[in-house]
Amino acid sequence: MRPALHLAAMSLSLTLALMAAGLALTVFAGWRGSRPWDPRRGVRMAPWRFIMLLSGAAVFLLVIHLGALMGAPQRPY
């Protein structure tokens, strides 16, 4: 029987890779969301500002996870 996989099983290299990808997506979506609207091309099909917000939140959670991997003290419940 295999043990259940949970977030603590994420390695440092996977966390750093996901952080880099999330940061790149945040910057790209921020750039795309800040471009002026062009009425000749029609409506935007991707909500770039919302994508930027979600990927930024994911990067924030990964920073917290990175701190836990590095041994930062956890607040008791």
Side-chain angles (χ1 to χ4, degrees):
M1 184 177 216
R2 298 166 85 190
L5 181 68
H6 51 85
L7 288 180
M10 281 179 50
S11 66
L12 178 63
S13 60
L14 178 61
T15 303
L16 291 174
L18 288 175
M19 278 181 57
L23 188 62
L25 180 62
T26 302
V27 169
F28 177 72
W31 171 71
R32 290 287 300 200
S34 67
R35 295 180 70 195
W37 181 63
D38 186 9
R40 291 177 289 148
R41 296 185 67 187
V43 297
R44 293 182 186 176
M45 298 304 291
W48 290 110
R49 291 179 192 247
F50 186 64
I51 293 171
M52 179 184 66
L53 177 73
L54 288 180
S55 60
V59 168
F60 179 71
L61 291 175
L62 285 168
V63 166
I64 293 171
H65 180 69
L66 182 65
L69 285 177
M70 294 294 184
Q74 301 293 312
R75 189 176 87 186
Y77 293 105

